[in-house]
Amino acid sequence: MKQSIFLLLIFLTVSCSKKDNVFTREDGLSSFSVSGLEQHLKTLASDDFMGRMPFTEGEKKTLAYLEEQLNQLSIEPGNGTSYLQEVPLVKITATAAPTMTITSKKGSFTLDGLKDYVIWTERTDEKIELRDVDLVFAGFGIVAPEYNWNDYEGLDVKDKVVLVMVNDPGFGSGDSTLFKGNTMTYYGRWTYKFEEAARQGAKGVLIIHDDVAAGYGFWVVQNNWNTSRLYLDRRATNPYFCEMVGWVTNPAAKKLFESAGVDWAATVSAARKPGFKAIPMNLKLSTTLSVQATYDKSYNVIGKITGAQQPDEYIIYSTHWDHLGIGKADERGDTIYNGALDNASGTAGMLELAKAFKSVKNKPSRSIVFLFVTAEEQNLLGSAHYAANPIYPIEKTVANINIDGINPYGKMNDIVVVGIGQSDLEDYLNEEAKAVGRYTSPEPNPVAGYYFRSDHFSFAKVGVPALYTGTGINHFEKGTDYGKQLQDEYVAKYYHKPSDEYDTSRWNLEGAVEDLKLLFNVGKRLSLENTWPWWKLGSEFRAIRENHPKQP
Ligand SMILES: [Zn+2]
């Protein structure tokens, strides 16, 4: 008896001394430097990397660079003996006919592709022909049982093209209890509209564009005209896809309503209220698309530091390495979409994080994973593939921390939490910010639905609490208006354009280093704890985590 108590005491002493890995705020911080960050950023954003488009020479160079850097840092390969995870994709090049014919009782007219609408397809059939297909206006195209909302109620959309509005009923309603008011829910995203139309079995879907409600101008949509897009290779499961998906401009939609004899203003306002019934437009739409599909593989890059005490529990940092490659020339004749901020910067930041974790003398208790995903720009494909084929069990994944773009504007007093109120992770960030005299603030543009627009969303969709931050707006010297002005300028001048280049006259990485330290400290702390951060009450992802069969 005595002996076993003695043994128990020894055991307790040993396990206590193993736990000397306490959280020290300063540990590893000196590893971060502007020059280290800049070196990676310069390389990845250089013309030499050709805009880092999957399947191109730019991908090969990027993968080689990341593998070499991880290897140099002695980061373990994250997928068995390999740093790579294969992501099978299909490249679909859809070439739309230059016009679309609309026939009403009064006669017919044409809409011009690119100018009036932009369409494409997720199908791999060589030829897609829509001939005299009925158009029906289905409000927001939303089925949301928790909000008691169903725009497809009693509607048979088989062999029809549905016309839907962008965003959700809460937007602009002045009612914060209608959906989430001005904060966009996933129901407001274009990806949702396409997914729902396919679930309903529609032949096609067109979203009516609106600058304010979409959060970006029609030119962003126009970039999709007759280009190639990537999708996950789904030949194995063969789900249903609409034959045609896309957008129409607001003026073109008004023209459709007018020719159908449907009152635009009255209908759109009725569609914003519960109980709206879809309206057949009595218009027929005809157009064609020719399709070329090529199957290929891209790669996620994944590295790991195995935890010392809880190696089968994981903190996953994610960031996308890809961008848009080489495309249409801008007004300066530049064709290389360098994607310096989006997302050479996050990729560089993640290498700095990996270096910092390695610089800490004691190993983390939990494992730290560094996941560089592909094809984010093609609708979060690399992270979606990872979430569907996780290397580390989802229920053992404690948290995801995602970086998509770092702060290029110098030191900020704040750091933005995108999707504030979603998970406990923001409380960790709050504490770390406070400890260095900074603070967290809500995203300046919650209508744009940024929480659904980067790779952490793939983790959220499977229930893993996910933190996504953005550049603060309160500049430490020039104040809040200045920070906002810079962000508006970024969206107008640089976002998804060849001008998103690394430029020392415009960039100042000192603030980015400070932000990375915060994200590092959040992950470091999680890696030394036994706690499981959770989704907050009211988060649409809480139930997914709770219902996970192997929930911790
Ligand atoms: Zn991005």
Side-chain angles (χ1 to χ4, degrees):
M1 196 69 170
K2 249 186 184 162
Q3 203 181 14
S4 63
I5 286 173
F6 179 68
L7 282 175
L8 183 66
L9 277 175
I10 288 187
F11 174 75
L12 282 174
T13 319
V14 169
S15 54
C16 280
S17 70
K18 266 180 88 183
K19 292 274 175 200
D20 61 356
N21 243 356
V22 285
F23 174 70
T24 317
R25 193 154 273 130
E26 285 305 310
D27 252 6
L29 292 189
S30 61
S31 155
F32 290 93
S33 72
V34 165
S35 61
L37 186 61
E38 184 183 39
Q39 190 51 49
H40 296 307
L41 173 52
K42 256 187 179 161
T43 307
L44 291 160
S46 66
D47 282 356
D48 206 31
F49 279 63
M50 301 152 63
R52 303 179 311 282
M53 180 73 174
F55 305 162
T56 65
E57 199 54 34
E59 164 163 18
K60 283 188 193 138
K61 286 189 172 178
T62 308
L63 298 181
Y65 184 76
L66 292 175
E67 284 187 274
E68 183 197 317
Q69 293 302 316
L70 292 173
N71 197 28
Q72 266 179 31
L73 289 168
S74 302
I75 299 286
E76 304 152 47
N79 187 17
T81 56
S82 173
Y83 284 119
L84 303 180
Q85 179 187 34
E86 214 175 65
V87 181
L89 297 172
V90 55
K91 178 160 104 177
I92 301 179
T93 310
T95 309
T99 60
M100 179 184 278
T101 307
I102 305 290
T103 310
S104 75
K105 282 180 196 142
K106 291 182 255 170
S108 63
F109 63 96
T110 56
L111 294 177
D112 293 329
L114 187 62
K115 183 180 139 277
D116 297 324
Y117 66 90
V118 172
I119 55 171
W120 64 94
T121 185
E122 277 185 65
R123 293 232 186 163
T124 51
D125 316 54
E126 262 174 53
K127 187 99 194 160
I128 286 174
E129 211 163 336
L130 295 110
R131 188 159 289 165
D132 291 328
V133 179
D134 281 320
L135 256 180
V136 53
F137 175 67
F140 286 99
I142 290 173
V143 180
E146 70 272 43
Y147 295 117
N148 203 13
W149 194 282
N150 185 353
D151 285 319
Y152 285 97
E153 180 126 48
L155 183 63
D156 179 8
V157 291
K158 197 171 167 285
D159 298 324
K160 298 188 178 98
V161 168
V162 286
L163 196 59
V164 299
M165 299 192 288
V166 70
N167 217 313
D168 66 38
F171 181 76
S173 67
D175 178 359
S176 62
T177 64
L178 186 59
F179 285 66
K180 286 189 178 173
N182 273 350
T183 298
M184 194 193 266
T185 63
Y186 185 51
Y187 299 111
R189 287 285 293 154
W190 59 271
T191 49
Y192 168 81
K193 315 268 178 191
F194 293 174
E195 287 162 11
E196 191 56 54
R199 273 194 287 275
Q200 300 290 333
K203 202 176 190 71
V205 52
L206 291 171
I207 303 172
I208 302 167
H209 184 267
D210 180 281
D211 276 9
V212 182
Y216 42 83
F218 195 68
W219 67 267
V220 173
V221 176
Q222 286 176 316
N223 280 348
N224 293 303
W225 178 249
N226 287 353
T227 104
S228 302
R229 295 172 69 92
L230 293 178
Y231 299 91
L232 291 179
D233 173 0
R234 289 197 168 113
R235 280 175 295 182
T237 50
N238 197 27
Y240 176 82
F241 292 115
C242 294
E243 290 182 33
M244 172 192 83
V245 296
W247 296 75
V248 285
T249 62
N250 213 285
K254 282 180 179 155
K255 194 170 173 186
L256 290 172
F257 274 68
E258 199 189 296
S259 66
V262 178
D263 186 327
W264 163 265
T267 308
V268 160
S269 104
R272 299 185 162 279
K273 297 186 185 82
F276 171 75
K277 286 268 172 292
I279 295 178
M281 301 286 280
N282 297 317
L283 296 175
K284 309 264 186 202
L285 177 158
S286 303
T287 195
T288 59
L289 291 139
S290 60
V291 178
Q292 229 189 330
T294 42
Y295 294 88
D296 211 333
K297 289 176 173 79
S298 184
Y299 295 89
N300 291 334
V301 181
I302 183 160
K304 178 170 91 148
I305 298 173
T306 301
Q309 275 109 44
Q310 296 132 275
D312 61 344
E313 294 176 5
Y314 307 90
I315 319 294
I316 300 186
Y317 283 95
S318 59
T319 196
H320 71 92
W321 61 253
D322 69 300
H323 194 57
L324 302 169
I326 294 174
K328 258 176 225 126
D330 68 2
E331 56 286 352
R332 304 166 305 157
D334 189 358
T335 56
I336 301 176
Y337 290 67
N338 304 77
L341 193 72
D342 186 12
N343 184 29
S345 73
T347 309
M350 187 112 112
L351 290 170
E352 282 291 286
L353 283 170
K355 184 177 80 180
F357 274 106
K358 285 303 279 191
S359 79
V360 178
K361 202 168 88 257
N362 295 321
K363 270 196 160 195
S365 297
R366 286 166 159 162
S367 295
I368 315 267
V369 175
F370 305 98
L371 176 62
F372 304 80
V373 294
T374 182
E376 187 271 354
E377 302 289 8
Q378 321 279 337
N379 194 18
L380 321 179
L381 298 180
S383 57
H385 176 80
Y386 179 89
N389 306 272
I391 293 171
Y392 308 107
I394 292 299
E395 72 279 6
K396 290 285 187 185
T397 301
V398 177
N400 167 243
I401 300 171
N402 185 56
I403 309 173
D404 191 351
I406 61 174
N407 164 15
Y409 309 126
K411 288 186 185 175
M412 296 285 168
N413 294 317
D414 58 339
I415 180 167
V416 161
V417 174
V418 180
I420 215 156
Q422 283 286 5
S423 85
D424 298 339
L425 294 170
E426 72 188 48
D427 303 332
Y428 283 72
L429 182 69
N430 269 333
E431 277 180 40
E432 292 314 310
K434 211 184 236 173
V436 292
R438 300 181 64 197
Y439 66 96
T440 59
S441 53
E443 56 196 300
N445 191 18
V447 302
Y450 283 113
Y451 198 71
F452 317 112
R453 289 169 64 172
S454 190
D455 297 297
H456 60 285
F457 182 50
S458 296
F459 284 94
K461 269 176 146 175
V462 294
V464 176
L467 179 68
Y468 178 40
T469 60
T471 297
I473 52 170
N474 183 355
H475 191 268
F476 85 117
E477 272 175 346
K478 296 174 184 169
T480 298
D481 288 342
Y482 182 67
K484 256 195 178 136
Q485 181 194 317
L486 289 169
Q487 295 205 356
D488 293 345
E489 188 184 89
Y490 168 72
V491 172
K493 283 197 192 162
Y494 305 106
Y495 173 69
H496 284 194
K497 291 181 178 171
S499 53
D500 180 7
E501 293 176 295
Y502 183 61
D503 174 354
T504 45
S505 70
R506 188 157 75 70
W507 287 59
N508 172 353
L509 294 173
E510 280 173 41
V513 165
E514 296 309 311
D515 289 354
L516 285 169
K517 286 178 183 174
L518 295 180
L519 298 184
F520 170 70
N521 266 350
V522 170
K524 191 174 74 186
R525 204 176 125 192
L526 285 165
S527 78
L528 297 168
E529 286 185 351
N530 297 309
T531 45
W532 290 81
W534 212 251
W535 294 102
K536 289 189 184 292
L537 278 173
S539 164
E540 55 262 62
F541 309 107
R542 188 178 167 100
I544 304 170
R545 187 68 156 181
E546 279 170 349
N547 295 336
H548 195 285
K550 294 183 200 157
Q551 171 237 299

